[in-house]
Amino acid sequence: MNQGKLPRSGLGSLVLIAAVVGGGAATFAYTAGWLSPGRLTPERMIAALTPPSGPPLGHRRNHAKGICFTGTFEANGSGAELSRAKVFAQGRYPALGRFNLGTADPNAVDATVRVRGLGLMITTADGEEWRMAMINPPFFAVSTPQAFHDLLIASGKKDPEAMKAFIQANPEFGPFAAWAKTAPWTGSYAEEPYNGLNSFVFTDAGGGDHTVRWSLLPSALPIPISQADLEKRGPDYLEQEITERVRTAGPLRWTMVTTVADPGDPIADPSKAWPENRRKVAVGTLIVQRIEPERDGPCRDINFDPAVLPQGIRVSDDPFPAARSSVYRKSYDLRAAEARDYPRTETAKP
């Protein structure tokens, strides 16, 4: 890659944008029809994610560049009205996560990647886990896993007519392209909101169901910068900045806000944002306390599979969690088998 010139921040640089990496539960994939004959398969999706230079051996097949963090999730108790999941009972729970970029290149220049992500795992005392993968756009690029696959294929072709044909067939891509072109860049992972764009069902103590999406909203004030200014700060500035910020300023905080759907809201289409007037409940605070490089860090071998859920939360009719889960599993198997291509250092912790 020519690091002296940034690629156009339009369609060609916006295609590796979903957290379609890691491992997961094939059961969910089967029930969603993901593995049915004639349907899209994890192998086909991973092939579409693979750049012409080859797969990033030892790394996640997408969102390959990232850095680990540990901290806590402080539940304020308000989430208990929506879900009986123990993670919403007032208290503090261990959190493990990963800031990342939406690219298949683990050596990508920060300023060439439009989408930023956050993977998170929260664990309760009895071992239940809630895993999730969020990104900073307010809505997803496309409405179905097949459309995402088609986007990857079209964007990889040299013929410009391929993307034109894709956009004509998938008009929901238009709002995402507009976001990518006009939304401000920031110079820190700490200044980004992270959105769980898929819908899940929360079940409360009385058995009532609530379809929700959630977001992590930063306490840090976003400071817009240009793409060119970000490039000047260096190819790995985001990892360096978040490490230094936590070291000098202390823990970072995000408020977790759940949004509850009204009847008729598009549950199965993450490319459609829900109206702003929907009910919102702040359920707690993510506190990032320590940053560690991924190579030897605690997030290295964690798959932030959205189908790993505690009791009181389940998948909805949204097809993406099932699709992502099956691709995560295949990706994890691949990178685990390639560990020698991304070796831990001699100072790695046990």
Side-chain angles (χ1 to χ4, degrees), residues 12-343:
S13 62
L14 299 173
V15 297
L16 299 178
I17 51 94
V20 188
V21 290
T27 301
F28 292 104
Y30 178 80
T31 58
W34 173 254
L35 301 181
S36 301
R39 298 290 184 92
L40 191 59
T41 65
E43 290 78 10
R44 287 179 59 199
M45 184 66 86
I46 288 175
L49 285 164
T50 302
S53 58
L57 299 179
H59 294 269
R60 300 165 197 262
R61 271 12 190 202
N62 193 11
H63 291 255
K65 185 176 185 178
I67 191 166
C68 298
F69 68 80
T70 54
T72 60
F73 176 69
E74 289 189 350
N76 59 22
S78 296
E81 65 179 280
L82 297 174
S83 172
R84 59 185 173 85
K86 296 174 184 176
V87 70
F88 292 126
Q90 187 171 8
R92 296 168 62 93
Y93 305 92
L96 167 64
R98 180 177 182 264
F99 296 108
N100 58 78
L101 297 179
T103 174
D105 181 3
N107 300 308
V109 174
D110 292 345
T112 65
V113 184
R114 191 65 180 95
V115 171
R116 299 172 186 174
L118 186 150
L120 181 62
M121 179 176 73
I122 304 171
T123 308
T124 57
D126 62 357
E128 280 197 331
E129 294 178 354
W130 182 16
R131 302 191 191 190
M132 61 200 89
M134 296 161 279
I135 53 178
N136 60 337
F139 36 72
F140 200 57
V142 290
S143 58
T144 66
Q146 181 66 58
F148 182 61
H149 174 271
D150 295 346
L151 170 60
L152 297 172
I153 296 298
S155 64
K157 293 183 177 179
K158 296 181 179 180
D159 182 3
E161 295 300 316
M163 275 304 300
K164 291 181 181 178
F166 170 82
I167 293 171
Q168 283 188 326
N170 300 274
E172 75 272 21
F173 183 70
F176 177 84
W179 170 87
K181 183 178 180 180
T182 63
W185 294 67
T186 73
S188 178
Y189 282 126
E191 298 171 11
E192 296 287 350
Y194 298 100
N195 302 301
L197 301 178
N198 300 121
S199 304
F200 291 81
V201 179
F202 283 9
T203 303
D204 61 35
D209 286 342
H210 313 271
T211 303
V212 307
R213 294 172 177 170
W214 55 78
S215 297
L216 288 172
L217 306 181
S219 61
L221 179 67
I223 302 175
I225 65 169
S226 70
Q227 185 184 19
D229 284 343
L230 180 59
E231 184 196 21
K232 294 175 184 177
R233 299 185 184 188
D236 304 312
Y237 176 76
L238 292 176
E239 294 183 5
Q240 297 163 2
E241 192 278 341
I242 197 75
T243 301
E244 183 65 11
R245 183 181 289 225
V246 172
R247 188 186 71 82
T248 58
L252 306 174
R253 289 172 167 79
W254 283 259
T255 300
M256 179 178 282
V257 177
T258 59
T259 301
V260 184
D262 276 3
D265 285 339
I267 304 303
D269 184 353
S271 72
K272 300 293 189 298
W274 293 345
E276 281 297 320
N277 63 357
R278 293 300 179 256
R279 180 189 177 198
K280 293 179 173 59
V281 180
V283 299
T285 303
L286 172 66
I287 304 173
V288 172
Q289 298 168 319
R290 181 182 176 88
I291 305 292
E292 296 187 51
E294 181 184 59
R295 181 181 291 269
D296 299 323
C299 75
R300 172 181 169 131
D301 296 325
I302 299 296
N303 293 316
F304 297 101
D305 176 357
V308 176
L309 301 166
Q311 295 184 45
I313 305 177
R314 69 178 190 273
V315 295
S316 70
D317 293 335
D318 189 326
F320 274 95
R324 289 164 59 193
S325 183
S326 60
V327 176
Y328 280 33
R329 182 179 185 179
K330 179 63 178 178
S331 176
Y332 177 82
D333 289 345
L334 290 170
R335 62 189 174 94
E338 299 159 355
R340 68 179 62 185
D341 295 291
Y342 184 43

